[in-house]
Amino acid sequence: QELQDLVKWLSPLDFSEKQNTIFEKRAPDTGKWFLEHPKFLAWSLPNNFSGSGKVCHSVSTTRHMTLRSLVVHELGEAISEDVGLVYIYFKYKTKYTMAQLAEVILKQLIRRRITESGLESLRKHKIGNRPTFNELLDTLKVKVGTYSHVLVVVDALDEADVHGWAPLLRDLQALSGVSLLATSQDTGDIALELRPDQ
């Protein structure tokens, strides 16, 4: 119960309701082509979890929400408990700080498999000031290390503040065992921010 309370304190953000709503409204066989695409299979198959990687795919606004919900659902059904799964939903004109995004990512990883690793620092902050972004990032790195691999699915990057999310996603990409999949309109800023050589 104490860890559950800690998770609730950590972040009020919860993308699960949006995820469930979009998934339930999908048409039959929507996105099947994407799940069968060689690039997605190469990204998602367990034997390819040895390093970091990403898939960026450009689709229309309505369809990329449906694709993201489908991907999250299918991954949630298919992967084992030792693989972390995180998803983020960006919405037009809704801005999140890097700390808020780090909090909700950490929250999802803790929820998926509740363990003590890396949580002592959060307990100290619960009775004082909230953790800084750098403290959250340090805890996030520890938590990522408790999984064999972590899959991060991000929806609607084109609707986010590019300067607000890019440093955090680059930090995640740099961690061993983290793979990022992002849906977005095709914009040059996003391609530059997430290019593989960064």
Side-chain angles (χ1 to χ4, degrees), residues 51-53 137 140-142 144 170-179:
S52 60
L137 190 59
L140 189 54
K141 289 176 180 178
V142 172
V144 166
R170 283 202 300 270
D171 284 335
L172 285 174
Q173 279 184 280
L175 297 179
S176 176
V178 174
S179 287

Side-chain angles (χ1 to χ4, degrees), residues 14-174:
D14 191 343
F15 299 122
S16 60
E17 183 176 350
K18 187 72 175 181
Q19 156 68 23
N20 294 335
T21 299
I22 297 171
F23 180 75
E24 289 170 1
K25 289 182 178 179
R26 78 196 188 288
D29 294 328
T30 297
K32 185 178 179 181
W33 63 271
F34 187 82
L35 297 177
E36 296 173 349
H37 195 285
K39 286 187 177 180
F40 175 76
L41 293 175
W43 177 84
S44 63
L45 291 176
N47 60 354
N48 292 319
F49 286 173
S50 58
S52 60
K54 67 181 179 66
V55 172
C56 288
H57 189 80
S58 176
V59 289
S60 68
T61 303
T62 301
R63 290 188 66 196
H64 72 49
M65 287 192 295
T66 305
L67 278 177
R68 188 266 296 163
S69 68
L70 179 65
V71 166
V72 169
H73 177 81
E74 292 297 318
L75 289 174
E77 293 288 313
I79 61 179
S80 60
E81 190 182 84
D82 70 333
V83 177
L85 176 61
V86 171
Y87 54 94
I88 300 170
Y89 169 75
F90 284 114
K91 187 177 181 180
Y92 182 57
K93 291 187 178 179
T94 300
K95 293 185 177 181
Y96 303 118
T97 66
M98 285 196 296
Q100 287 175 317
L101 292 176
E103 286 169 352
V104 75
I105 291 171
L106 187 54
K107 174 181 178 178
Q108 290 184 54
L109 289 177
I110 295 171
R111 267 184 173 175
R112 180 162 177 81
R113 190 174 61 182
I114 294 181
T115 63
E116 291 286 338
S117 299
L119 300 186
E120 190 56 40
S121 63
L122 294 181
R123 287 193 178 92
K124 293 177 182 177
H125 283 290
K126 193 171 184 292
I127 58 175
N129 296 323
R130 293 196 67 82
T132 65
F133 171 71
N134 287 333
E135 289 170 331
L136 288 166
L137 190 59
D138 288 341
T139 304
L140 189 54
K141 289 176 180 178
V142 172
K143 202 63 188 174
V144 166
T146 67
Y147 289 92
S148 64
H149 196 79
V150 173
L151 302 174
V152 181
V153 181
V154 184
D155 178 64
L157 276 180
D158 53 297
E159 297 180 8
D161 176 7
V162 67
H163 301 295
W165 56 257
L168 173 58
L169 293 189
R170 283 202 300 270
D171 284 335
L172 285 174
Q173 279 184 280

